[in-house]
Amino acid sequence: MDLEVHYGEQVILDSASLSIHERDRIGLVGRNGAGKSTFLKIIAGIQKPDSGEVAKKKDLQIGFLSQEFTLDDSKNVKENILYGAENILSLIAEYEGLPYDSPLRDKLESEIADIDGWNLEKRILQMGKSLGAPDLERDIVTLSGGEKRRVALCRALISQPHLLILDEPTNHLDTDSIEWVENLLGSYNGTCIFVTHDRYFLDRIANRIVELSSGTFISHNGNYTDYLYNKTQRQAIREAEEKKRQNFLRREFEWIVRGPKARRTKAKSRVDQYYEVLENNKQEVELNVEMILPPAEKLGDKILELKNVGIELGGKQLIEGLSFKFESKKRIGIIGKNGIGKTTLLKLMMGQLKPTTGRIERGEKTEFNYVDQSRLILNDEDTVFNAVSEGNEYVQFGKNQLNTWTYLRRFLFTDDRINTLVGRLSGGERSRLTLARILKSGGNFILLDEPTNDLDLPTLRVLEEALISFGGVAVVVSHDRYFLNRVCNGILAFEGNGQVYFSEGNYDYYLEKRKKITGKNDWQAESYKRKGDTRVKEKTRKLTWKEQKELENIEQDINEAEKKVEEIEAIFVSPDFYQKYASKTKELNQGLEDAKETVAILYERWEQLEEIKNTS
C-alpha cells in the first residue's frame, strides 16, 4: 500500500504496507499517537492518506467503530443500530419487491440467510441486552457517553460485515459485556482488525499482532503473549547489532582521531565507511514512561473505615450494610456492572456524598488523591509544559522538587511535545498529560476511576508497576481484568441489590471463589438476597403502594434530571465559558457527572419498576 501520512513534521505512516487476509483477527498495537486510529480510518475509507493506496476486495462490506463515532440525535437507539444494517435492509427490500416467480428470489433469500438477516430484530434485542445498551426506544440525546458507545458498538456489529474495524471496543463495557464481545468475535466468520488496551482480549481473540512503530508495520503471528515473546527476541537481536555497531564506531573514531598522515584512497575509504555507518543509525530507541508516584506520607493507625454504610439515590438502594476497613499497602479493585454504584462508593469514601445509613471514619493523616472518569478539563490553548507547571519551573514531588521538564519526560513527552499545544495532542497523550497533572499532587490514598481507558499498553504496564510499589492505599475502579490481576490484592465486587462482596487476592481468585459459591461465573445471573452466608432466589412480587407512587412520578423526575444535565452542558459550550466559569470548572464537571449518574439511576429504576409491574 505504501501509505504516507504526515501531520506537519510528525511522520505517522512512512511508506507503510500491510496485507489483511480472510479470517485474520489482527490486534493493532503501538504507542498512543503512533497512528493506529489514523490507519483504521484510512482502511475504513473515512480518511485519505497523503500518498499510497488501499486495494479492497470487490463488494467488501465494512463495519467500523471509531473512537470519535457520531450517532444521529434525531433517531432513537434502535434506529441508530439499524443504520449499521443498511446492507441487510436493502437486500430484504429488494427481495420483497420482486415478483413471487422471480428467479432472483432464491439467490437473495440465500444471501440474506448467510448473514442471518431474517433474524435481524431478534439479534438487535439480544445484542443490546448482552452489551448493556439502553432501551431501544430511548432518544440518543438522553444517553451518557458510555451508553452512546455501546449503541455505536451494536451498530458496527449488527451487519456481520466482511471486515470489522474496531477502535477500543472494550471501553465503557463491563466485564460481562467484554466477554460477550469476545465470544462473538471468536465465532465470527469475517475478518477483524482492532485496537484495544485489554490484554486478555488481545490474547483470546487475536491470531496476529501488528505493531505500528516509527511509521511502519511489524507483523507477528499468534496472540499478544506470542507477540511479547517475539518482540523480546527481536529487541535482543537489535541490541546485539547495535553493540557491534558501537564497537566498530569506537575503533574507527580512535583511528580517525590519531589522524593518518597520508589521506590516500584507502584511508579516505575507511573514513567514508565510518560516516556511512554513523549515518545509518535509523533505529528508534523506545522510551518508557517512568511513572513514579510521589512518595506517600505515612498513614495513621486509622486510615478509612466504613461501618454498616448504605446509600440510596433516585429511589434505588446502591449500597446496603457495607462494612470494610482499609489497611496500609492495600490495592483494592472495585468491580461491577455499569451504573451499579462504583463511583458512588468512591465519593462516599472521600466525603463528597453522605451515606443514607451507617457512618464513615477517616484517619487524620489520610490524604485523598482522586482521578475521576472525566479527568481534569484541559485548556487546549495551553502548552503541555504550562498545563502541568502552572508557570513554575519545578513541581513538588513529595517533600522534594523536580524540574517540570524532567517530570514530563517520565510520562513520555519529548522536548518538542512538551512545547506543543494541548489541543494538538492525541487522545492518549491527553490522558497521559492529565495523569501527570493529577498524580503530582501526591496523597497517601489514591482513588482511580477507570484509569486504563485510552492509555496505551506500555503506559499501562508502567502505571501497574507504580501502583504495585506505592506505599499508601490504592483503590481502582476498572473492568480491565489483566490490570486487576497484576495490581490488586483485594476485590470489592458489586453483586446487585445493594450488596458488595469482598474477596482477598486478585481478580482471578475472586472469580474462582464466586464460581464455587454460585456454580456460575456471574454473581448477577439470578437475583439474590443475602441471608447470612446463604443466597435465596427472590420470588415474583407485586409493586408496593410506595413503589406504585414512585413509578407514577418517576417520568417527571427523569425530565428534571435530564434538564439539569442540559443546563450544565450548555454552560460548557457557551462562548464565554472561560471568562465566566473558569474558576468553577471542577465544580461544574463534578455536577455534570452527578447529574448524568442520577439520570442513569432513574432510568434503571424505572425499568426495574416496570418489570415488576409487568411480571406480577
Side-chain angles (χ1 to χ4, degrees), residues 87-88 91-92 95 105-120 123 159-160 189:
N87 62 317
I88 297 175
L91 284 173
I92 293 174
Y95 173 83
R105 284 179 68 91
D106 288 343
K107 179 178 178 294
L108 285 174
E109 187 175 9
S110 177
E111 285 183 26
I112 295 167
D114 285 345
I115 53 178
D116 201 17
W118 300 118
N119 293 317
L120 185 59
R123 288 198 292 113
S159 68
Q160 298 187 354
N189 288 324

Side-chain angles (χ1 to χ4, degrees), residues 530-546:
R530 216 170 199 178
K531 292 187 178 180
D533 291 326
T534 64
R535 297 172 187 273
V536 182
K537 190 176 178 182
E538 281 188 333
K539 295 179 181 179
T540 302
R541 63 177 182 83
K542 294 182 179 180
L543 288 172
T544 64
W545 180 85
K546 183 180 176 183

Side-chain angles (χ1 to χ4, degrees), residues 463-482:
L463 175 59
E464 289 163 356
E465 293 297 332
L467 289 172
I468 290 168
S469 61
F470 182 58
V473 176
V475 174
V476 183
V477 173
S478 181
H479 299 302
D480 189 322
R481 298 155 292 177
Y482 195 103

